[in-house]
Amino acid sequence: MTATRDDTPPSRRNRAVREPGFADLVVGFVGSVFVCVGSFGVGDIARNSTVAQDLGLSAIAYGHGKTLFGSIFWLGVATMVIAWVRLGRRLGTDRPALSVRTFGWGIVGWAAPLAVAVPVYSRDVYAYLGQGALFREGFDPYADGPAHLPGPLLDSMAQVWATTTAPYGPLFVGLTRLVTDITGDHVILGVYSIRLILLPGLLLSLWAIPRLARHFGASPQTGLWLALANPMVLIHLVAGSHVELLMMGVLVSGVALVVTGRHVHGLVVLGLAVSIKVTAGIAIPFVVWIWLSHIRARRRVEPVDVARVFASVIGITVAVFAVCTAVLGLGLGWLTGLGWADRIINWFTLPTLAGHIVTLVAAPFTALNLQPVLGVTRAVGMVVLAIVLVGLWWSHRRDERSAMAGMVWAMLAVLLLEPSTLPWYYTWVLCLAVAFTLPRWVRAIVVGVSTFMLIVFQPDDSILFYKLPEVLLATALSLLAAISLTRRDPLRLRRALDWFRGGPDTPHETDRSTTSGA
């Protein structure tokens, strides 16, 4: 009896399983499952809801049950960060990495459990529902706060926003009203419905980020790793259910269309991004230079070209925004809501950090109230930001690549100089920075900052910014994560294990593993 060789080509699924790094995707998925399970004990559970009691799950939200589920949650966070770092070590080296397709499906796999988790790190999703319900009942969310409509949605949101108006664009406010038209005041159905309208942002990002990276000669896998496999992004945006998830996808899709020559389509999409959240508008002025550089690549740019491009960039985006505004029927009232960000106080932006330093330095001599000092430092910060944005726009007009770099720096400037910033805001920079091949030390900083943001913000919406022991612990763990991207076993645990076993005291490779055979 003779054996025959099976020449049947392996299935796509089998090929994916054999790809280097696939095991790390599986580890990250297990971590996301732990985060999902743990969120039911430590997340931002809807208030005044009897669902947990009706299902017999109320014991997991307090006492020993909460401690157990909190441990599961943090084990999941640590597991996701470890898997992310391990995937990141393969990038930018001669070691084989996952294919873009497999990496993309892996990210979807990581996001899936988070999409059914209890909201964590923020109660903003309840505020979205409260503003949508307010609009549904005939109020103007750009003039009235959710406090005008008492009920379960108001009870579940962070009360600091109960009297504030909506800072979001007309498209997103319209979507929140559509959700509450369908789900009414049912909090849990509303949360999952909000996630359904936000998750297309993840799919758009999965489509656009590899295209943007390839266009500029960067690694699409590194782009996916930086902006989407990042546990801070996935946990905050998917499990936390933030509007940035949708805005990020629409923003990076619009930019990808523009740089690949589909300027009008890209500007329409960017107009929609601004209609979701106005921050996306920072990218639009740089489209002028990208479009002109495309013309310059074919022929000489004439004054009429400059006028036409300027008119098109302004006209298309304004027209899209105007249509969304007209359909909503509430005018430009969202502008008043932008000022409510001043209520957020943390030292992650330079103006707020400066305010803290001023009061700290003055403390031995005089008692300064932080709020008046912040009024001054934040006003100075806004002036500096305006100057920086204009300077970046003008100085990055040389060509397409320069304009793209200016766009990234402009988004970073907003993060550093606006009155306040939150972890999910970092997606504005990350989704655009994928166009460039970032040095490993920059990627290590991203790992460190992302890990820090997952620790100092707590899943129950509490914040540890001003608790020194916790901040020091978060800093130490973040540094360990950052160093682990560039060095294997930075704590030399393998050497200690060898010593304990009585083995040879030999140094181990830090950048590649070694094998020996008998």
Side-chain angles (χ1 to χ4, degrees):
M1 185 175 181
T2 58
T4 59
R5 188 179 63 183
D6 185 4
D7 292 328
T8 304
S11 68
R12 180 176 290 168
R13 179 184 302 174
N14 291 336
R15 289 199 303 269
V17 169
R18 290 199 296 268
E19 288 185 29
F22 184 83
D24 296 324
L25 288 180
V26 175
V27 171
F29 171 75
V30 172
S32 71
V33 172
F34 286 166
V35 170
C36 174
V37 173
S39 72
F40 285 85
V42 298
D44 292 314
I45 300 172
R47 299 186 180 117
N48 298 331
S49 172
T50 62
V51 172
Q53 292 91 325
D54 295 341
L55 295 176
L57 300 176
S58 57
I60 70 176
Y62 66 91
H64 296 304
K66 184 170 184 176
T67 301
L68 174 61
F69 276 74
S71 300
I72 294 172
F73 178 87
W74 288 113
L75 176 62
V77 171
T79 303
M80 290 186 72
V81 171
I82 290 169
W84 182 48
V85 170
R86 285 177 58 85
L87 287 168
R89 285 202 198 116
R90 293 183 174 275
L91 303 171
T93 68
D94 56 359
R95 302 174 65 197
L98 290 164
S99 66
V100 173
R101 181 184 181 87
T102 301
F103 208 163
W105 279 112
I107 290 169
V108 171
W110 289 19
L114 302 177
V116 297
V118 170
V120 289
Y121 287 106
S122 169
R123 291 186 172 271
D124 281 3
V125 64
Y126 301 118
Y128 302 157
L129 291 168
Q131 290 156 2
L134 195 71
F135 190 18
R136 180 197 67 203
E137 296 301 321
F139 293 93
D140 182 352
Y142 291 153
D144 306 308
H148 284 79
L149 191 64
L153 299 179
L154 177 64
D155 294 338
S156 297
M157 67 184 292
Q159 296 306 297
V160 68
W161 308 121
T163 58
T164 63
T165 56
Y168 309 109
L171 178 56
F172 184 68
V173 170
L175 290 173
T176 60
R177 173 175 176 167
L178 177 63
V179 166
T180 55
D181 281 339
I182 297 171
T183 63
D185 289 342
H186 196 293
V187 182
I188 296 175
L189 286 180
V191 167
Y192 287 117
S193 298
I194 287 287
R195 282 185 179 154
L196 285 178
I197 67 171
L198 295 180
L199 283 173
L202 178 64
L203 301 179
L204 286 171
S205 298
L206 286 169
W207 173 84
I209 283 174
R211 285 165 173 77
L212 184 61
R214 286 194 187 100
H215 181 80
F216 287 97
S219 164
Q221 288 95 332
T222 301
L224 292 173
W225 175 85
L226 183 76
L228 292 182
N230 187 330
M232 182 195 73
V233 172
L234 284 179
I235 296 175
H236 276 292
L237 265 60
V238 179
S241 304
H242 286 288
V243 65
E244 268 72 17
L245 180 59
L246 181 60
M247 190 202 85
M248 174 180 69
V250 179
L251 170 64
V252 71
S253 296
V255 173
L257 289 171
V258 167
V259 299
T260 53
R262 288 166 284 184
H263 310 105
V264 174
H265 296 87
L267 286 168
V268 170
V269 174
L270 288 174
L272 293 174
V274 177
S275 300
I276 296 169
K277 195 164 185 178
V278 70
T279 314
I282 299 296
I284 292 176
F286 294 93
V287 174
V288 171
W289 307 135
I290 294 173
W291 196 339
L292 288 175
S293 72
H294 291 171
I295 297 175
R296 191 179 300 113
R298 301 190 305 268
R299 58 177 174 80
R300 180 180 177 182
V301 174
E302 303 292 341
V304 66
D305 297 318
V306 177
R308 179 174 58 84
V309 168
F310 267 91
S312 298
V313 169
I314 296 171
I316 293 171
T317 52
V318 169
V320 172
F321 187 84
V323 169
C324 293
T325 301
V327 170
L328 191 70
L330 296 179
L332 298 177
W334 56 271
L335 289 169
T336 61
L338 299 178
W340 298 118
D342 289 352
R343 292 194 175 192
I344 303 171
I345 298 177
N346 60 54
W347 41 263
F348 281 118
T349 64
L350 295 179
T352 304
L353 178 61
H356 283 305
I357 292 174
V358 168
T359 55
L360 182 64
V361 171
F365 311 102
T366 183
L368 289 180
N369 188 287
L370 179 61
Q371 288 294 345
V373 174
L374 285 179
V376 175
T377 58
R378 285 173 166 179
V380 172
M382 294 305 292
V383 173
V384 173
L385 176 59
I387 295 172
V388 168
L389 290 179
V390 173
L392 286 171
W393 178 72
W394 184 250
S395 62
H396 286 78
R397 65 187 186 278
R398 184 175 64 257
D399 54 30
E400 178 190 62
R401 189 175 189 83
S402 175
M404 191 69 215
M407 192 185 298
V408 175
W409 284 114
M411 287 293 185
L412 182 60
V414 173
L415 282 178
L416 295 177
L417 292 171
E418 68 174 347
S420 60
T421 193
L422 293 166
W424 42 95
Y425 293 0
Y426 285 80
T427 55
W428 308 341
V429 176
L430 293 177
C431 71
L432 300 176
V434 303
F436 301 97
T437 302
L438 303 177
R440 179 169 284 196
W441 66 268
V442 174
R443 285 182 272 144
I445 290 175
V446 172
V447 169
V449 172
S450 299
T451 305
F452 187 80
M453 291 295 189
L454 280 169
I455 300 174
V456 293
F457 280 84
Q458 293 287 288
D460 62 356
D461 200 23
S462 60
I463 302 175
L464 305 178
F465 286 141
Y466 300 99
K467 297 182 178 181
L468 184 59
E470 287 88 343
V471 169
L472 291 177
L473 176 61
T475 302
L477 293 174
S478 302
L479 286 173
L480 176 61
I483 295 171
S484 297
L485 183 70
T486 59
R487 295 180 57 188
R488 290 190 176 190
D489 193 19
L491 297 180
R492 303 294 181 94
L493 297 178
R494 191 179 301 171
R495 176 180 292 183
L497 184 61
D498 283 346
W499 176 85
F500 181 78
R501 290 173 173 172
D505 186 17
T506 57
H508 288 272
E509 301 265 351
T510 58
D511 291 325
R512 56 188 176 87
S513 58
T514 59
T515 59
S516 61

